[in-house]
Amino acid sequence: MNDFTSNSAEWNQLSRTMPDWFENSPFGIFIHWGAYSLPAWAEPIGALGTIADDREWFTHNPYAEWYYNTIRIDGSPAQQHQEETFVGGDYDDFLDQWKAELFDPTEWVELFQYAGADYVVPTTKHHDGIALWDAPGTGERNTVHRGPRRDLIREIAESVKAKGLKLGLYYSGGLDWHVRPFPPHVTSESVHDSSRPKDAEYAEYAYNHVIDLVDKYQPHILWNDIEWPDAGKHFGEHGLGRLFQHFYSTNPEGIVNDRWGETHKDYATSEYEHFTVNESETLWENCRGIGFSFGYNQVEGPEQSLNGQQIARHLTDVVSRGGHFLLNVGPQADGTIPKIQRQALTDLGHWMAAAKPFLVGARPLDPAVAPARDSPWIRWVDRGDAVVGFVDSPGEPSHVVEIPLQAGALDLARAAVRGPGGSVRTGDLGLIVELTSGRPGPVIVHIPRAQS
């Protein structure tokens, strides 16, 4: 710690009202793309939060973007894969081999927009320390001087803004395995404490990067990962407090996530099934990949991946509980989006064409009015003058679901299905929803409130 270490009162002065644009943005797209997209290899052992043993998780890490760490763990299958496939080799060889020759940012963003996204968050520097723009202090170890030889962040940012979406920027402030080459992580404790850089020199390095990102690309979201170096948690020169002040003065509608250590946040985050306690906070966002990895993993197939209908259910569940959903896309090294991911986003878009108006600005519904259920699968949102139910039964192509509801608060006679995939009628206990085959996602049932 240093003389500029800040107390909680100073951080509290940064608290603000959440901007309307984020309140009305239920869905975002995350992008993990880097030199790790070239080996594109990890063991798809399961989702974060479902593997209890630290050693097992890190040694068999399903996150392909952690490849640089996993290949340094003696005896790991990733290390064996690296030695056999690439004859050992150096991780930075992947940067030079990465060409992004088919990268078309406009085509990417058009797909994201079709899928119903409100904001897009590309990685600017992951834990491997390779910057996707000409970051100060990185020399030639970035995509402008090596590999693609392009400012990938500028191209993505310009395409995102041209389509009217909001831009967020991911930055790994907590880890940099090149600038601070600690031993490989095999425990969560080492990631979040003993083997992360905390010194003032690294704090200044990271500060200069994020300030450069803010000034060059004018993002609406700063999405930091893991932590922030302890020596930089202050309001003095090169301090995190000043970084936040500069960001907010540059973009008064800007917001930051919660991964800056015990300093300041505008909203909390969960990841797959990890950090789920954060989902009880007032403002939160869940992030996950279409498969078990964020970076592209060639080992994953349909059995590890969500399809469009499953993504629609996950998004609906998150929104019904008051959250936002950041779904990750992991492009291939050449810049193309893998077929499985592209199909999932396209199918999601078919459903979002009808569902999006009912998700934007939605609030959780009091369970006393209508509770969520898992069998049959039903989630609810409050639209003020109406409630909306999302009903699904993925096990059968056509299915009839009876939903017990009290008619007092709701005008069941005026219930209607909005969009494709089903029909609704009143029954003895409430409503009967028929789910037809070929539906792209949960059936949307709109129920006006009873007029007093």
Side-chain angles (χ1 to χ4, degrees), residues 179-217:
V179 174
R180 292 292 182 270
F182 286 94
H185 301 288
V186 292
T187 67
S188 297
E189 185 277 335
S190 75
V191 171
H192 294 281
D193 189 17
S194 61
S195 294
R196 66 173 175 87
K198 304 177 183 180
D199 61 282
E201 183 182 30
Y202 178 71
E204 181 178 346
Y205 179 79
Y207 172 93
N208 289 336
H209 280 185
V210 180
I211 288 291
D212 195 54
L213 290 169
V214 169
D215 291 344
K216 284 182 176 175
Y217 311 115

Side-chain angles (χ1 to χ4, degrees), residues 124-125 133 135-138 171-176 179-180 197 199-214 222 224-225 227-230 232 238-240 243 260:
T124 66
K125 177 186 79 78
W133 87 107
T138 58
Y171 181 81
S172 174
L175 297 175
D176 192 311
V179 174
R180 292 292 182 270
D199 61 282
E201 183 182 30
Y202 178 71
E204 181 178 346
Y205 179 79
Y207 172 93
N208 289 336
H209 280 185
V210 180
I211 288 291
D212 195 54
L213 290 169
V214 169
L222 291 181
N224 190 58
D225 202 7
E227 248 279 6
W228 193 258
D230 292 359
H238 302 123
L240 181 58
L243 189 157
W260 311 83

